[in-house]
């Protein structure tokens, strides 16, 4: 199959490279010339484990190429995937669909044969209908079909998730489009990945319902963690105790500083807007959004409390800035709100992150970036583990303490055992376990 991927970001580039690896002919398009220039020189514009090798292999095999020219790329394709961003619209939290619609307009001008137009971007219910309307103004009805194929990959494990998905959701209204999509995903049929064919609106909603549910699970355990702190219970053991119940499941039950990233914050907000517009409130999700928003700054206050209630002129080192490990994605990372709270309280904030500092230094100008964990900890009054990168899991805590001016270690990911830390003389604060 001949495929064009519009948008070569975290989703478009990974999806495009994986489709090429399945044997399809793929062109990844992006309007940002610097991204395409990098890709043409085999430099990855994002950090995602395994991506560079996958891209290189498929470029060398002649199955994967890159372009800034959407028109030239989409004509003659069997399927054109839209994988552009759908951030929160400033002001009201609705998904900003301007990039999706702009891409649809450009596609409509360029398609020359019957083509399936697939929204892979996360888009609110009804967006496919709007994309169809845009295309129908310029193309005859038999020249195109609009399909929803939401993406569920996780940054940091994106390639594996794409190639071994829990399920593939395809929302299609016409038979020939289902056949094209089946052919595209045939290698995964062979892997026995479940493929769910639904109506287009249903597929669009599945993505939001999935993300809202996962955000709810995280927020639930975060509130239980707060309760644990107040009643002398241990949230790690509560998580294990409930997670072993098959009806609940152990995943997404790790208490922490609140969810962030490029999906959950904007997708929960967008679902709220869809629900309000359709007079069908989702009050649980409303509570989740509110609780999570408050939690990020509350984590900053937790650090201040660990310092004895005063952060002015204290030096605080953040270990980890990205919203999770194994990505350079800083979108809506809890570290941003935590650093802001500490800066507001008069602290000097320094940080180290294995991959996120290039982006972070642009959006966190008041935070000084350093070369390593120990570099960050030098003369610090407190060290705060914000993201659970592997590099922070086995720190030499005695060396860390010797480097610091103070003795406070705040572990917002519970990656250390309180008893181990106690031996080093560090004063340890974690989440939901009275330590
Ligand atoms: P991203 O910002 O990393 O990438 C989007 C890319 O699209 C950018 O490089 C941008 O330059 C490009 N673009 C925008 N308009 C264009 C146009 N008209 N022509 C060509 N290129 C254009 O975004 P992302 O993280 O890859 O997310 C894309 C979509 O996938 C979003 O809707 C997101 O919600 C969804 N999604 C993301 C993830 C994730 O983990 N990042 C997972 C599942 C779904």
């Amino acid at each position: 199959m001949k495929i064009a991927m519009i948008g070569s970001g975290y989703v478009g580039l990974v999806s495009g490279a994986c489709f090429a690896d399945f044997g399809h002919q793929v062109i990844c398009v992006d309007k940002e010339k610097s991204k395409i220039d990098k890709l043409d020189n085999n430099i990855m514009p994002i950090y995602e484990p395994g991506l560079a090798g996958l891209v290189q292999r498929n470029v060398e095999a002649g199955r994967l190429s890159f372009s800034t020219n959407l028109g030239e790329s989409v004509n003659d394709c069997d399927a054109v995937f839209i994988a552009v961003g759908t951030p929160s619209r400033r002001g009201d939290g609705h998904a900003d669909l301007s990039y999706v619609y702009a891409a649809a307009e450009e596609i409509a001008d360029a398609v020359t044969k019957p083509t399936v137009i697939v929204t892979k971007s996360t888009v609110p219910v009804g967006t496919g209908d709007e994309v169809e309307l845009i295309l129908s103004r310029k193309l005859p009805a038999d020249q195109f079909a609009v399909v929803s194929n939401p993406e569920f990959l996780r940054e940091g494990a994106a390639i594996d998730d794409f190639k071994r998905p829990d399920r593939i959701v395809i929302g299609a209204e016409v038979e020939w489009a289902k056949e094209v999509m089946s052919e595209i995903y045939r290698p995964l049929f062979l892997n026995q990945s479940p493929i769910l064919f639904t109506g287009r609106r249903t597929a669009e909603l599945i993505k939001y319902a999935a993300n809202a549910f996962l955000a709810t699970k995280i927020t639930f355990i975060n509130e239980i963690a707060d309760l644990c702190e107040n009643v002398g219970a241990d949230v790690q053991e509560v998580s294990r105790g409930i997670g072993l119940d098959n009806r609940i499941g152990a995943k997404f039950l790790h208490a922490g500083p609140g969810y962030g990233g490029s999906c959950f914050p904007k997708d929960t907000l967008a679902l709220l807007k869809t629900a309000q517009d359709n007079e069908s409130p989702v009050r649980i999700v409303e509570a989740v959004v509110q609780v999570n928003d408050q939690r990020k700054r509350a984590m900053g206050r937790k650090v201040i409390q660990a310092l004895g209630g005063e952060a002015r002129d204290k030096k605080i080192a953040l270990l980890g800035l990205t919203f999770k490990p194994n990505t350079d994605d800083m979108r809506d990372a809890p570290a941003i709100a935590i650093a802001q709270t500490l800066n507001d309280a008069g602290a000097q904030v320094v940080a180290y992150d294995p991959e996120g500092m290039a982006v972070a230094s642009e959006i966190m100008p008041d935070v000084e970036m350093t070369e390593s964990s120990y570099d960050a900890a030098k003369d610090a009054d407190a060290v705060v583990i914000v993201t659970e990168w592997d590099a922070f899991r086995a720190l030499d805590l005695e060396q860390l303490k010797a480097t610091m001016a103070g003795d406070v270690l705040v572990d917002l990911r519970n990656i250390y055992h309180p008893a181990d830390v106690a031996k080093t003389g560090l004063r340890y604060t974690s989440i939901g376990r009275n330590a």
Side-chain angles (χ1 to χ4, degrees), residues 43-266:
I43 300 167
M44 293 305 105
I46 55 165
Y47 174 73
E48 178 62 41
L51 186 61
L54 181 76
V55 166
Q56 188 180 5
R57 185 165 79 233
N58 284 283
V59 167
E60 281 169 7
R63 291 188 296 261
L64 181 60
S65 58
F66 308 101
S67 174
T68 52
N69 190 324
L70 188 149
E72 274 175 24
S73 305
V74 307
N75 69 47
D76 201 29
C77 277
D78 299 291
V80 176
F81 284 75
I82 300 176
V84 300
T86 49
S88 280
R89 196 163 67 188
R90 205 172 281 188
D92 67 0
H94 263 288
D96 178 353
L97 296 171
S98 56
Y99 303 102
V100 172
Y101 295 151
E105 294 279 1
E106 281 190 73
I107 293 165
D109 285 331
V111 159
T112 55
K113 68 170 216 186
T115 307
V116 180
I117 314 301
V118 190
T119 28
K120 199 164 242 330
S121 299
T122 302
V123 294
V125 174
T127 305
D129 302 357
E130 197 60 34
V131 168
E132 191 169 83
L133 196 69
I134 291 170
L135 291 159
S136 67
R137 288 194 199 114
K138 291 177 180 161
L139 294 171
D142 57 359
Q143 194 84 333
F144 73 94
V146 177
V147 165
S148 164
N149 171 219
E151 183 49 57
F152 299 95
L153 61 78
R154 295 162 301 165
E155 287 173 19
I159 294 168
D160 206 49
D161 282 353
F162 194 90
K163 290 189 163 184
R164 271 172 282 279
D166 290 339
R167 78 306 206 182
I168 298 149
V169 174
I170 295 171
E173 305 293 336
V174 292
E175 204 49 45
W176 71 271
K178 284 186 203 168
E179 282 164 20
V180 170
M181 294 303 287
S182 299
E183 186 56 28
I184 289 172
Y185 278 107
R186 199 161 55 87
L188 295 184
F189 279 119
L190 300 176
N191 274 354
Q192 303 197 321
S193 298
I195 304 209
L196 195 63
F197 284 99
T198 68
R200 200 166 57 206
R201 285 179 160 247
T202 303
E204 289 169 337
L205 190 55
I206 286 172
K207 174 66 190 175
Y208 282 99
N211 274 0
F213 190 84
L214 293 172
T216 303
K217 215 173 163 189
I218 294 173
T219 307
F220 175 81
I221 201 64
N222 284 341
E223 284 205 309
I224 294 291
D226 291 347
L227 181 59
C228 284
E229 288 177 17
N230 290 339
V231 299
D234 183 324
V235 75
Q236 299 288 105
E237 290 171 10
V238 173
S239 288
R240 190 162 157 73
I242 63 174
L244 284 169
D245 185 328
N246 281 332
R247 294 168 301 177
I248 296 174
K251 291 184 179 161
F252 282 74
L253 283 182
H254 302 287
Y259 62 76
S262 58
C263 293
F264 288 178
K266 77 172 176 65

